[in-house]
Amino acid sequence: MSFRIIDTHCHLDIIQEQGQEIEVSLKKAKSAGVQKILQIGIDLESSIRAKKIAHTDYDNFGDSSDYPSVHYSIGCHPTETHEFPKAEEIIDLIDQNISDPKLSAIGEIGIDLYHTADSKNIQIEILEKFLEVSARTKIPVVIHSREGFQDTYDVLKSWKTKATGVIHCFTYDYNAGKKFVDLGYYVSLSGIVAFKSAHEIQDAATKLPLDALLIETDAPFLAPPPFRGKRNESSNMPIVLEKIFSLRSESNAVIEEKLFSNSQKFLNRKAYYDA
């Protein structure tokens, strides 16, 4: 079966570092029905690289129809604390590319209390700095939030109506998801939703409004079954989509089309509630 899918969060550069060339990843993704990919920046260097990946002419490798189109984000990951002193350079990069239609988001940014809880205060400070840029430029944010729901929510709430975006790789329960949606954020489901133990995430995927849902791989991380423990890639997106089919009451066709249109809106810098 052929799907129309957008992978709203992928690290093609890290997959390349692990041994698979980007054009190979793209061709496999297109064969799986992936039409577009959002390449994520996590620091200054990877953000510059993300733009380059998005603007590479893949005609050099064959027919461009064999490859998904690539958009990109510019960000500063909360665990990349050594990059925090470069925040102003990263912000300058955002400002230099505001008019680039392939720049879809600011991020990933956020709060991670699993790896670096001791740096929570500076993480919040950097997050606020980038939310200010989002409010000024109207470019949505990609939020990484791990074991930090309340802190993340409190910060985002203070920017309600000013900044919006997506909670990527959602790992909380329905109530948390509903609070993020009420702030105007998409909730993006990764391969984790297909893990047998992911009961709370599956409950959220079942109950949250379809208009506010996105899907992603976060490749090369978090491969869904039956590839768990192996390198993930965008060609695994159908597994995530089919898991959502199994959880929701809407028809598969409605789910597929809505997730695709939601993703299109997000890549075009629109919130889920925008016309």
Side-chain angles (χ1 to χ4, degrees), residues 9 13-14 18 44 52 55 59 65 68 88 103 115 120-121 125 176 178 181 212 217 219 254 259 263 275:
H9 196 108
D13 54 337
I14 301 178
Q18 294 180 355
L44 181 59
K52 182 178 180 181
H55 284 281
D59 281 341
S65 64
E88 292 301 329
L103 175 60
H115 291 292
K120 182 175 85 167
N121 291 340
E125 181 181 326
K178 182 64 164 56
V181 169
T217 56
V254 166
L259 291 176
S263 301

Side-chain angles (χ1 to χ4, degrees), residues 151-184:
D151 291 298
T152 305
Y153 177 76
D154 289 345
V155 173
L156 297 185
K157 185 178 180 182
S158 69
W159 289 89
K160 185 178 180 181
T161 74
K162 300 173 186 175
T164 189
V166 60
I167 310 300
H168 114 85
C169 191
F170 181 77
T171 56
Y172 301 117
D173 61 14
Y174 165 75
N175 290 329
K178 182 64 164 56
K179 287 185 176 182
F180 284 132
V181 169
D182 288 346
L183 291 181

Side-chain angles (χ1 to χ4, degrees), residues 10-17 20-26 36-42 45-61 67-73 100 102-103 219 234:
C10 183
H11 303 272
L12 291 163
D13 54 337
I14 301 178
I15 296 172
Q16 184 179 46
E17 290 171 1
Q20 179 167 277
E21 291 303 316
I22 290 172
E23 58 267 26
V24 175
S25 294
L26 292 178
K36 297 182 180 182
I37 293 173
L38 180 60
Q39 167 65 23
I40 300 295
I42 62 170
E45 182 180 341
S46 68
S47 295
I48 293 170
R49 193 161 56 240
K51 179 182 178 181
K52 182 178 180 181
I53 292 169
H55 284 281
T56 295
D57 183 359
Y58 291 100
D59 281 341
N60 294 332
F61 305 105
Y67 301 93
S69 63
V70 180
H71 289 236
Y72 69 101
S73 72
D100 185 354
K102 288 205 164 194
L103 175 60
S234 289

Side-chain angles (χ1 to χ4, degrees), residues 228-244:
R228 191 170 179 182
K230 299 179 181 179
R231 182 179 65 216
N232 198 9
E233 52 188 283
S234 289
S235 58
N236 289 331
M237 281 295 291
I239 298 172
V240 183
L241 178 60
E242 288 175 330
K243 184 62 183 181
I244 306 302

Side-chain angles (χ1 to χ4, degrees), residues 26 33 40 45 60 68 107 118 137 143 180 185 202 232 246 268:
L26 292 178
I40 300 295
E45 182 180 341
N60 294 332
D118 58 335
T137 63
I143 298 295
F180 284 132
Y185 283 78
Q202 291 166 3
N232 198 9
S246 75
N268 291 325

Side-chain angles (χ1 to χ4, degrees), residues 77-81 111-120 123 144-148 221-222:
H77 196 287
T79 65
E80 302 295 305
T81 53
I111 295 175
D112 189 311
L113 303 185
Y114 177 81
H115 291 292
T116 49
D118 58 335
S119 64
K120 182 175 85 167
Q123 288 186 50
H144 170 107
S145 181
R146 187 171 185 188
E147 295 194 5
F221 312 107
L222 306 174

